[in-house]
């Protein structure tokens, strides 16, 4: 049954995406099968991004989630697409109560026996589930119920994504196809995790435990005896939506303090705890009457391993100190930037990003603006973005958007710097750098002792004409292979043309000369293609000139 549904969905998806596929194909081959590539301006990319957004919305819940994930992957899509998909909201009309009731009772038994009272009107609906208000053991609760039929639909759509991948990969370069293949695996894992409410409950409990003594945050308490893989019952915590600034002002809240509070909570989650809520859009954040920030919906959450935590601290510290070399080192060590990248060019990108983001005060600059430039860089070069770093990038972007809504002058870096200093992270980082420098000095001093005797032996070998040198050439970009291919094809073309000329000059049958030239034509075309084909990767001319960056920022 799933296979038949998957086949049908595959046809529907192909039909919806066909105009975009043809457009992308013509970008590489103007006449589909042959012809040069064509330039695509920003306006065209924005229009296509709008078409892609509309297509994802039309295809339903699974593809809405896919669009949300794509909005966190600047290594897969150009900045214009990332910007457009960032507006994608996971809001879908809730399913009928009778269908949801069937899911609820299959998991927990009769509704009347499990709950003291149950409001059958859903208070919110999303692509994978919907939320109801109820009373359980005398306490007001929110009950999250998995959307009826969503598992079979997602399974079918995941098959469609898997079948479609080879087709899409055919039209993109090798580096981006690697990122896309990783994204497909990530999406399959992520959406299955979001449908597993037992996992969500475990993450909720863990993160709640990390903030037991913190009055600035409130996380609902789970009700395990009324929860399952498809149902999550938790404490109902009402509050004012965090982006409802008028109501927050009416209640007398200090919005700057709320923004700083939110930022500090996320810094603790990511840097201290290593487990974080990964969907901080305004619908999942509220403020209670005491000024505590309420967190809802832990379906999208992630973990950070200790090594990445350390590198994130290094990155924040380097940004705060405007140390571009340290920023690049942190990106390389996190795996987001290739060690073979042009450090001079990338350093200029980072400097421009920081300069563009500065306010009147030299330290007043926004991480959002830095991320915008880094996202563009990730696509242009292109780079690979590990999954949890993509989530962290998304969290940083969305959180700063919320903070700026609360306070238009909010300084993300200032708060992060204060937090790192208070927790001793900056001191640790500086100490570690100093220790590394001391080790380097020690190693250099040792080399001053050991190198001269070795150099003396090499010179003796050269004098005795007994020096042998082994050279290993690394050719990761296949430069030598392409050169050899062009050389061989060129020889064949030269031999063919020369042979035809000799045959024709000596008065032999003209048809023989024509036959030789006809045989040479496919080789000539192959040689033309070999020189025409653009190489991808870090050897290409970077597109991040100052003028280009100004144009990009002006077009947004």
């Amino acid at each position: 049954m799933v296979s038949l549904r998957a086949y049908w969905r595959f046809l529907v998806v192909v039909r919806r995406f066909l105009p975009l596929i043809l457009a992308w194909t013509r970008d590489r081959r103007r006449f589909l099968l042959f012809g040069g590539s064509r330039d695509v301006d920003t306006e065209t990319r924005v229009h296509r991004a709008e078409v892609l957004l509309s297509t994802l919305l039309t295809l339903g819940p699974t593809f809405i989630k896919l669009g949300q994930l794509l909005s966190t992957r600047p290594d897969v899509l150009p900045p214009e697409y990332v910007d457009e998909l960032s507006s994608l909201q996971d809001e879908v009309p809730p399913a009928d109560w009778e269908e949801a009731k069937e899911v609820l009772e299959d998991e927990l038994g009769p509704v009347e026996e499990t709950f003291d009272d149950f409001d059958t009107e859903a208070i919110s609906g999303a692509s994978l589930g919907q939320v109801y208000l109820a009373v359980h053991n005398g306490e007001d609760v929110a009950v999250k119920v998995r959307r009826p039929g969503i598992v079979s639909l997602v399974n079918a759509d995941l098959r469609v994504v898997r079948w479609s991948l080879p087709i899409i990969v055919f039209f993109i370069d090798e580096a981006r196809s690697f990122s896309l293949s990783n994204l497909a695996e990530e999406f399959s894992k992520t959406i299955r995790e979001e449908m597993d409410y037992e996992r969500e409950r475990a993450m909720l409990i863990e993160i709640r435990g990390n903030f037991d003594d913190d009055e600035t945050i409130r996380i609902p308490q789970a009700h395990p005896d009324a929860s399952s893989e498809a149902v999550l019952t938790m404490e109902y915590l009402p509050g004012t939506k965090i982006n409802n600034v008028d109501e927050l002002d009416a209640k007398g809240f200090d919005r700057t303090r709320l923004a700083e509070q939110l930022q500090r909570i996320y810094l603790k989650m990511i840097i201290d705890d290593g487990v974080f809520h990964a969907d901080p859009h305004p619908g999942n954040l509220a403020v209670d009457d005491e000024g505590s920030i309420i967190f809802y919906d832990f379906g999208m959450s992630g973990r950070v391993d200790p090594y990445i935590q350390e590198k994130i601290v290094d990155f924040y510290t380097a940004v705060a100190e405007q140390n571009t070399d340290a920023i690049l080192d942190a990106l390389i060590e996190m795996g987001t930037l290739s060690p073979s990248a042009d450090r001079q060019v990338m350093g200029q990108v980072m400097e421009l990003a920081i300069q563009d983001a500065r306010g009147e005060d030299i330290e007043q600059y926004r991480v959002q603006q830095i991320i915008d430039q880094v996202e563009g860089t990730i696509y242009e070069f292109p780079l690979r973005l590990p999954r949890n770093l993509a989530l962290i990038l998304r969290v940083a972007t969305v959180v700063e958007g919320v903070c700026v809504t609360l306070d238009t002058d909010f300084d993300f870096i200032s708060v992060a710097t204060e937090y790192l200093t208070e927790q001793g992270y900056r001191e640790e980082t500086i100490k570690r750098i100093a220790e590394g420098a001391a080790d380097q000095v020690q190693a250099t001093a040792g080399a001053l002792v050991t190198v001269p005797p070795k150099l003396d032996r090499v010179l003796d070998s050269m004098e005795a004409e007994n020096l042998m040198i082994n050279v290993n050439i690394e050719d990761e970009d296949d430069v030598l292979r392409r050169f050899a291919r062009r050389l061989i094809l060129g020889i064949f073309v030269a031999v063919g043309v020369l042979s035809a000329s000799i045959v024709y000059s000596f008065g032999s049958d003209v048809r023989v000369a024509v036959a030789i030239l006809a045989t040479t034509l496919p080789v000539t075309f192959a040689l033309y293609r070999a020189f025409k084909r653009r190489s991808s990767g870090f050897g290409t001319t970077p597109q991040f000139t100052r003028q280009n960056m100004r144009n990009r920022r002006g077009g947004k």
Side-chain angles (χ1 to χ4, degrees), residues 71-75 82 270 276 312 315-316 331 336 367-368 370-372 374-376 378 385-400:
S71 72
T72 70
R73 297 302 299 265
D75 56 330
V82 171
I270 293 171
F276 61 98
I312 290 173
F315 176 79
Y316 279 143
L331 292 174
T336 64
V367 162
Q368 173 66 55
I370 294 173
I371 286 173
D372 283 345
V374 172
E375 281 183 348
I378 286 172
L385 197 58
R387 180 198 172 207
N388 275 346
L389 282 178
L391 277 179
I392 292 169
L393 186 69
R394 180 180 187 273
V395 165
T397 304
V398 177
V399 167
E400 206 227 356

Side-chain angles (χ1 to χ4, degrees), residues 86-98:
S86 295
S87 65
L88 192 59
Q89 296 295 317
D90 187 9
E91 295 177 357
V92 178
D96 292 338
W97 161 244
E98 291 302 322

Side-chain angles (χ1 to χ4, degrees), residues 63 68 83 164 193 247 287 339 363 437 451 461 464 511 528 552:
F63 288 89
Q68 288 181 313
D83 289 344
S164 304
E193 286 179 349
E247 189 170 342
V287 181
E363 291 188 359
V451 167
S461 298
R511 288 176 297 181
Y528 168 78
R552 172 170 293 171

Side-chain angles (χ1 to χ4, degrees), residues 30-31 41 57 59 81 84 117-118 166 204 228 251 255 288 291 299 317 319 335 356 441 449 455 472 476 488 556:
R30 188 178 297 272
F31 303 105
D41 57 28
L57 288 170
L59 290 172
Y81 287 76
E84 189 67 28
D117 188 31
F118 200 101
L204 181 152
S228 70
K251 291 185 175 183
R255 289 192 273 121
D288 71 8
T317 302
V319 171
D356 283 347
V441 170
V449 176
L455 182 59
N472 292 321
E476 294 180 359
I488 293 170
K556 287 187 177 181

Side-chain angles (χ1 to χ4, degrees), residues 240 244-258 287-291:
T240 304
N244 189 344
V245 293
D246 292 336
E247 189 170 342
L248 292 174
D249 288 341
K251 291 185 175 183
F253 290 118
D254 183 343
R255 289 192 273 121
T256 300
R257 189 187 67 80
L258 287 174
V287 181
D288 71 8
D289 292 339
E290 304 301 320

Side-chain angles (χ1 to χ4, degrees), residues 384-425:
R384 297 169 183 174
L385 197 58
R387 180 198 172 207
N388 275 346
L389 282 178
L391 277 179
I392 292 169
L393 186 69
R394 180 180 187 273
V395 165
T397 304
V398 177
V399 167
E400 206 227 356
V402 173
C403 290
V404 170
T405 300
L406 292 169
D407 176 9
T408 54
D409 296 323
F410 181 73
D411 186 353
F412 185 103
I413 295 300
S414 175
V415 174
T417 302
E418 287 178 12
Y419 183 87
L420 295 175
T421 303
E422 290 171 9
Q423 302 300 318
Y425 287 115

Side-chain angles (χ1 to χ4, degrees), residues 53-111:
L53 177 62
S54 175
T55 301
L56 294 172
L57 288 170
T58 302
L59 290 172
T62 310
F63 288 89
I64 291 174
K65 284 291 180 185
L66 179 60
Q68 288 181 313
L69 181 59
L70 284 169
S71 72
T72 70
R73 297 302 299 265
D75 56 330
V76 175
L77 292 177
E80 295 85 355
Y81 287 76
V82 171
D83 289 344
E84 189 67 28
L85 294 181
S86 295
S87 65
L88 192 59
Q89 296 295 317
D90 187 9
E91 295 177 357
V92 178
D96 292 338
W97 161 244
E98 291 302 322
E99 295 177 353
K101 180 181 179 182
E102 186 175 340
V103 174
L104 192 59
E105 294 192 334
D106 284 346
E107 296 291 324
L108 305 178
V111 175

